Amino acid sequence: MTRRQFDEQLAELKDLLTEMGELNCRAIGDAATALEKQNPSLAGEIKNVESAVDEKETEVERLCLKIILKQQPVASDLLFVTSAMKMVTDMERIADQAVDISELVVKMSQLPYADIPTEIYDMAERVKDMVASAVESFVERNMELAKETCRADDAVDDLFDAVKKKLTHVMYKDIDDDENGEQALDMLMIAKYLEKIGDHATNIAEWVMFMMTGEHKKLN
């Protein structure tokens, strides 16, 4: 295999990773919109996005193995390829959690909606930005952007704590109201899934550290 072919395959790999990131951002955005608009139909479509992410994951893994076996890359290129095989696991889980959110949205649509903490929408926007920047930092091998992504997770954690405080109050206040209590619990689960998405974005950023230094360290 010539260097030109190798460069073309690396470019293809970067494109696939970027596409996975874009699909995940779409899934997160659609989940938040479905929640806000009380749209179970839109929520149901997120499963199709998850399937597309799964297909991209398989393509990435096959391409990485092909590059390793046929080209036998060394040094930084090898670290990039092996790190890509690791980070797509986090990418796939982000899509899974978007689906988990969508399933809760469908469930919640069957009951009268309670007030949704605005912090949930802020969380969704922030983790969507984190996913986008994490993937960009990986593809561009940008350590500073990776660090910024990890720092952004602190704000997401603070928002989750605010949501948890509000919804815990609702659950205790309406302890005898099964519907309100169940809605509050579902919304808390949605916030938890968003927090986990932020954690996965942080994991992706940490693979940038591994790719560039050979050491896997916590950046946050």
Side-chain angles (χ1 to χ4, degrees):
M1 183 182 293
T2 67
R3 180 68 202 189
R4 179 180 176 182
Q5 289 174 313
F6 179 57
D7 289 341
E8 289 174 350
Q9 288 187 334
L10 280 181
E12 181 183 356
L13 177 56
K14 291 179 180 180
D15 287 343
L16 285 170
L17 296 174
T18 299
E19 289 165 10
M20 285 186 77
E22 291 171 350
L23 285 167
N24 275 331
C25 288
R26 173 184 164 190
I28 296 165
D30 285 353
T33 300
L35 177 64
E36 183 179 12
K37 303 297 184 183
Q38 304 178 31
N39 187 336
S41 178
L42 177 59
E45 293 174 7
I46 294 172
K47 184 67 178 176
N48 295 330
V49 181
E50 184 221 14
S51 296
V53 171
D54 289 345
E55 290 175 4
K56 296 292 181 186
E57 179 187 21
T58 299
E59 289 182 54
V60 167
E61 289 172 341
R62 287 177 177 172
L63 180 56
C64 286
L65 288 173
K66 183 178 181 181
I67 291 172
I68 291 170
L69 293 174
K70 290 193 174 183
Q71 181 66 15
Q72 298 180 341
V74 296
S76 62
D77 287 334
L78 179 60
L79 283 172
F80 180 83
V81 174
T82 55
S83 298
M85 295 179 71
K86 296 287 188 179
M87 65 90 85
V88 289
T89 300
D90 285 294
M91 299 273 269
E92 188 269 339
R93 288 175 181 168
I94 288 170
D96 287 345
Q97 277 147 9
V99 169
D100 291 334
I101 292 170
S102 72
E103 289 173 348
L104 286 170
V105 170
V106 172
K107 177 187 173 187
M108 290 170 64
S109 69
Q110 299 168 5
L111 296 170
Y113 258 46
D115 290 334
I116 300 172
T118 56
E119 290 89 349
I120 287 181
Y121 302 119
D122 198 0
M123 286 184 74
E125 192 64 30
R126 287 174 183 267
V127 298
K128 185 171 70 171
D129 289 343
M130 284 181 68
V131 170
S133 63
V135 175
E136 181 182 351
S137 73
F138 190 95
V139 170
E140 300 298 330
R141 309 188 194 197
N142 187 328
M143 179 71 80
E144 187 53 42
L145 184 56
K147 291 178 179 178
E148 289 177 12
T149 301
C150 292
R151 288 193 291 268
D153 193 44
D154 291 336
V156 173
D157 290 341
D158 289 343
L159 287 166
F160 174 72
D161 289 340
V163 171
K164 183 168 64 174
K165 184 176 180 179
K166 284 185 177 182
L167 294 177
T168 300
H169 176 72
V170 170
M171 285 185 278
Y172 277 115
K173 179 182 177 182
D174 298 332
I175 196 167
D176 295 324
D177 189 329
D178 290 341
E179 287 188 357
N180 280 352
E182 186 173 353
Q183 288 276 46
L185 183 58
D186 288 341
M187 284 187 282
L188 183 57
M189 287 301 302
I190 287 173
K192 186 62 179 176
Y193 287 132
L194 289 170
E195 188 221 10
K196 287 182 177 180
I197 289 173
D199 290 342
H200 287 302
T202 299
N203 290 346
I204 292 169
E206 288 170 355
W207 284 115
V208 178
M209 168 76 82
F210 174 76
M211 172 176 54
M212 297 182 71
T213 68
E215 298 181 26
H216 193 207
K217 294 182 178 180
K218 292 293 183 183
L219 293 179
N220 189 14

